[in-house]
Amino acid sequence: MSIVNLNGITKKFGGETALNNISVSINEGEIFTVLGKNGAGKTTLIKIICTLLLPDSGNGTVLGYDLLKESEKIRANVSLVAPTVDVGVDPTLTVEENLLFWAVVYGLDDAEAKRRVKETLEILGLYNVRNRWAMEISAGMRQKLGIGRAILVRHPLLLLDEPTVKLDVESKFSLRKFIRDIRKEFRTTILLTTHYFDEAEELSDRVMILEKGNMLATDSIENLRRRISATEKIEIRAKASPEKADKIISHFAEFRAVYENGVFRFTVPIFSDAMNEILHKFVNENIEISEVASSSPTLEETFLTLTGRAK
């Protein structure tokens, strides 16, 4: 089931095109990542999906509601977390009081508000700091607090715009785990924007590559990699007699096997089971292996190739 359907979305600011004819569907329960450099149009796309901006042309639906005609219903059923960690955080309130305040804003009754706030604090890993002032906790914790505010009402669609920007490495790691936990716990559909390749690779079910407002590709990371290379390289350092080396090379001729200076090299179909097949053969031949390495295109290399920046 599609949660978001966009058809031909275009948005211009003055003479600049921020989004150019974007058509995409986002499926229920997936983490869908929009990957692009600063200025690619990621935030503009997020704002259009939650109806903070209207497109100049195109149409679509969000949670079944018309993007152009039912903005109030869309806003009532999606949650947006902005990239600035302190947006929506009141420094004069404790961590728990911040969430209780937003529970009232969302219209939860007192008993339900307290139950959900306690549950959310536990999920966030913030329960032990619930009585501290919001500005006394780390930036990573405050970003979690912002996401916690967004999930208090259990909206089916969560929009995260550059959620780990400006966070330290430890906070990024913690927040990424939290994002995975949200999807698992509540079956929330998550739309994430980022310019971090490792973040997209770690979290995403599918990735859209956005470049200067143009959608260059949308697919799983494995399929995106296949677009730029059908093969990967395997290198195995091993001690083998000339007879056994010839046997391996002959057996794996289809993988263009060679043996030079104590290293076997194979060119195999990308994301295949060839590695297991090769290693199994080495074991059967009693060939001692000292090192194994493989290389396939990284997401960054894929991005650079698809955006024309590989050179």
Side-chain angles (χ1 to χ4, degrees), residues 9-257:
I9 297 297
T10 297
K11 183 66 179 179
K12 296 182 179 181
F13 296 101
E16 297 294 325
T17 300
L19 294 174
N20 181 33
N21 195 32
I22 303 296
S23 296
V24 69
S25 293
I26 299 172
N27 300 321
E28 182 178 14
E30 76 173 335
I31 298 179
F32 184 91
T33 298
V34 181
L35 177 64
K37 296 295 186 180
N38 292 335
K42 304 186 301 295
T43 297
T44 300
L45 183 63
I46 284 263
K47 288 182 176 180
I48 285 176
I49 289 173
C50 66
T51 73
L52 292 178
L53 285 175
L54 288 176
D56 296 327
S57 61
N59 57 71
T61 59
V62 177
L63 301 169
Y65 299 116
D66 189 289
L67 187 66
L68 305 179
K69 300 176 181 178
E70 298 179 287
S71 60
E72 290 186 5
K73 291 180 180 179
I74 292 173
R75 292 188 195 186
N77 287 281
V78 303
S79 297
L80 170 65
V81 178
T84 305
V85 294
D86 297 326
V87 170
V89 175
D90 189 329
T92 67
L93 300 177
T94 66
V95 169
E96 184 175 37
E97 287 169 345
N98 264 276
L99 290 181
L100 286 170
F101 169 81
W102 282 101
V104 172
V105 172
Y106 291 139
L108 300 177
D109 63 54
D110 189 56
E112 182 66 9
K114 290 180 179 178
R115 186 188 70 80
R116 287 201 189 181
V117 166
K118 182 176 183 296
E119 178 185 41
T120 301
L121 287 169
E122 290 172 345
I123 293 170
L124 293 166
L126 296 178
Y127 190 77
N128 290 336
V129 296
R130 66 190 183 281
N131 293 320
R132 291 178 59 183
W133 300 111
M135 300 311 292
E136 289 182 346
I137 62 176
S138 69
M141 286 183 174
R142 292 201 301 278
Q143 188 72 310
K144 284 186 177 182
L145 181 59
I147 296 176
R149 181 186 74 239
I151 67 172
L152 274 176
V153 284
R154 308 292 190 264
H155 284 150
L157 178 60
L158 177 61
L159 308 176
L160 301 176
D161 191 12
E162 300 275 9
T164 63
V165 70
K166 298 181 182 179
L167 298 186
D168 58 41
V169 172
E170 184 177 355
S171 295
K172 286 180 181 179
F173 178 82
S174 176
L175 190 59
R176 289 172 187 174
K177 179 181 183 302
F178 178 56
I179 290 169
R180 292 194 302 271
D181 291 344
I182 293 171
R183 194 266 293 271
K184 182 178 179 181
E185 182 77 18
F186 302 118
R187 194 59 186 169
T188 304
T189 303
I190 298 174
L191 171 58
L192 166 77
T193 72
T194 187
H195 59 264
Y196 297 127
F197 298 105
D198 59 335
E199 187 163 278
E201 194 149 14
E202 180 181 341
L203 295 174
S204 313
D205 294 305
R206 287 190 300 144
V207 170
M208 173 201 289
I209 294 180
L210 197 62
E211 172 78 351
K212 296 180 180 178
N214 295 291
M215 184 178 72
L216 302 185
T218 300
D219 214 328
S220 68
I221 291 174
E222 285 193 2
N223 285 340
L224 288 174
R225 286 175 174 173
R226 286 190 179 100
R227 292 194 184 194
I228 69 166
S229 178
T231 62
E232 62 181 320
K233 305 292 186 181
I234 294 175
E235 292 189 355
I236 298 177
R237 186 174 295 278
K239 294 180 180 179
S241 66
E243 294 79 11
K244 287 189 176 182
D246 288 342
K247 195 171 183 179
I248 291 290
I249 291 169
S250 175
H251 185 81
F252 292 111
E254 64 177 310
F255 297 153
R256 289 180 274 172

